[in-house]
Amino acid sequence: MAARAQRFRKVFVAASLALVGAAGISASGAAGQEPTAKRSIKDGVYTELQANRGEREYGRTCEHCHGAGLEGDTGREIPPLVSDPFIRNWNGKNLKELFETLSRSMPADNRGSLSARTYTDLIAYLLRANEAPAGTSALPDSLAELEAISIEKP
């Protein structure tokens, strides 16, 4: 009798696991999705190559308003993109919020005209300019992945 109950349990567990696998349910409970690990800009979330591309694009599309030193122009209500004012404004938020703000409002003379990759390259440049360390993986342009990366003072 005990052997029969043990066999039943094994079959039941195997069938349950097969059903869960067939449904594509992960440990997070979402079908087919793995949870995105939380990270910080302190973790090296962009590459130098990406920041270099962002710097070149900044020179073409952003510098004429925000300045060569990313200092902005408070007289024209153009915010600085570097140092304490930038970090104070974005501290505690995530890169998805920064990406959405940039892609919705910049460049001011042609809003939303850049590719997702270009916006992430620009963000990589801003991170480097604000002394966040570079890493070995490029900053993704997936909003879900960007949402998992918090902005905090490097």
Side-chain angles (χ1 to χ4, degrees), residues 12-81:
F12 178 77
V13 168
S16 298
L17 290 173
L19 284 173
V20 168
I25 300 172
S26 69
S28 68
Q33 291 182 339
E34 289 299 316
T36 303
K38 298 288 183 189
R39 297 185 297 165
S40 159
I41 63 170
K42 295 178 183 181
D43 297 328
V45 296
Y46 69 92
T47 64
E48 281 296 326
L49 177 64
Q50 189 175 34
N52 290 340
R53 285 192 314 258
E55 183 174 13
R56 284 190 301 277
E57 185 64 35
Y58 178 87
R60 285 190 291 271
T61 59
C62 311
E63 187 176 301
H64 64 281
C65 289
H66 289 277
L70 297 95
E71 68 277 6
D73 184 344
T74 54
R76 294 181 2 196
E77 297 182 11
I78 298 172
L81 301 175

Side-chain angles (χ1 to χ4, degrees), residues 76-88:
R76 294 181 2 196
E77 297 182 11
I78 298 172
L81 301 175
V82 69
S83 201
D84 286 339
F86 179 82
I87 293 297
R88 251 193 330 270

